[in-house]
Amino acid sequence: MIPAQFDYLAPTTVDEALAALAEHGDDAKILAGGQSLLPVLRMRLNAPEMVIDLNKIPELRGVRDDGDHLVIGAMTRHSDIAMDPQIGEHAALLQKAVHHLADEQIRHRGTFGGALAHADPAGDMGAPALALGCEFVIAGRDGVRNVAADDFFVDLFETAIGEDEILTAVRVPKHTGWGAHYEKFVRVAHQWPIVAVAAAVKVDGGTITEARVGLTNMGSTPLRARAVEDALRGQPATEDAVRDAAARAAEGANPPSDLNGDAEYRAHLATVLTRRAVLTAAGV
Ligand SMILES: Cc1cc2nc3c(=O)[nH]c(=O)nc-3n(C[C@H](O)[C@H](O)[C@H](O)COP(=O)(O)OP(=O)(O)OC[C@H]3O[C@@H](n4cnc5c(N)ncnc54)[C@H](O)[C@@H]3O)c2cc1C
């Protein structure tokens, strides 16, 4: 199908984009990589009167070192995340996950910020961002605010970004020296996961000193598997210890049931994938 008619603006600064959003309000929609928005427009699930394209705003793109954090611009493409050496060194979990996201073409258009703002519970970037404790930098007409990952994902396709606001960057705490792995379960390649697990693990002298585990598609938002994290802390990095901790992966989750699997199946998958993700991240 062809989208309904809309006007188009391509501002070159965040301030211009915010002014356009303020002017057009509910009638406007932001365009990032377009990999989720354009299908929505083509199916006429949404028909904005104004599309505000962020692609010509250079300040929204790139990765920079900010001491104990990396700052990733919202318009940084998935393919840039995949190749960036700083992300490989300090936030390897993002790189592990992005390699599983869609295919090469989509990774070259889709953006880190667009995927997070879209907040699909089956999206591959939410659980790693949550597990790493990212902070979301959100700009509005009244200034900039930082929102913690735990407060960013509100509900299905809903985040803390207001209608007159733009996600400008994501601050990622450095996890230098941590092992990382993203374990995704799909029926065919390049699909959204039925369930996936993001794990970052710090091992010191054979003991797991810290673990951060995020779950994809186990509820209406990405989730932290806090019971697993608590159970892993201080345990030896062994198959038995990880299996026992991973058995708690679905605690507090509310997985959906659909044609790919019911909630009980997903709960079981979460335990299996958590075990694999943590063992690989821990190098066992
Ligand atoms: C065939 C196909 C397969 C895919 N497979 C996967 C997959 O396996 N895993 C996966 O995770 N994803 C998958 N995707 C989605 C892909 O990750 C998209 O890149 C992502 O969902 C949206 O990013 P985008 O930059 O294209 O955003 P857009 O589509 O441009 O925007 C998405 C939404 O976010 C809003 N938005 C975008 N940027 C901002 C911002 N900076 N501030 C505020 N709001 C903003 C837009 O208004 C829109 O509502 C797939 C997409 C396609 C087409």
Side-chain angles (χ1 to χ4, degrees), residues 13-30:
T13 66
V14 171
D15 283 346
E16 279 173 34
L18 287 171
L21 261 186
E23 186 185 340
H24 296 282
D26 283 0
D27 297 329
K29 201 80 189 142
I30 286 176

Side-chain angles (χ1 to χ4, degrees), residues 29-37 54 74 78 101-102 106 110-111 114-115 117-118 123-124 161 166-167 184 191-192:
K29 201 80 189 142
I30 286 176
L31 173 71
Q35 299 304 295
S36 295
L37 183 63
L54 302 184
H78 298 310
L101 187 153
I106 290 162
T111 66
H118 188 55
D124 287 302
I161 307 171
I166 293 173
L167 176 68
K184 172 168 171 173
Q191 269 197 335
W192 281 267

Side-chain angles (χ1 to χ4, degrees), residues 55 57-63 73-77 79-80 108 168:
N55 282 278
I57 307 182
E59 66 194 279
L60 291 179
R61 198 160 169 190
V63 181
M75 288 298 291
T76 306
R77 311 270 174 206
S79 53
D80 295 329
H108 273 85
T168 56

Side-chain angles (χ1 to χ4, degrees), residues 22 59 120 127 130 139 166 187 198 251 274:
E59 66 194 279
D120 184 337
L130 194 61
I166 293 173
R187 281 189 301 118
E251 281 183 23
T274 298

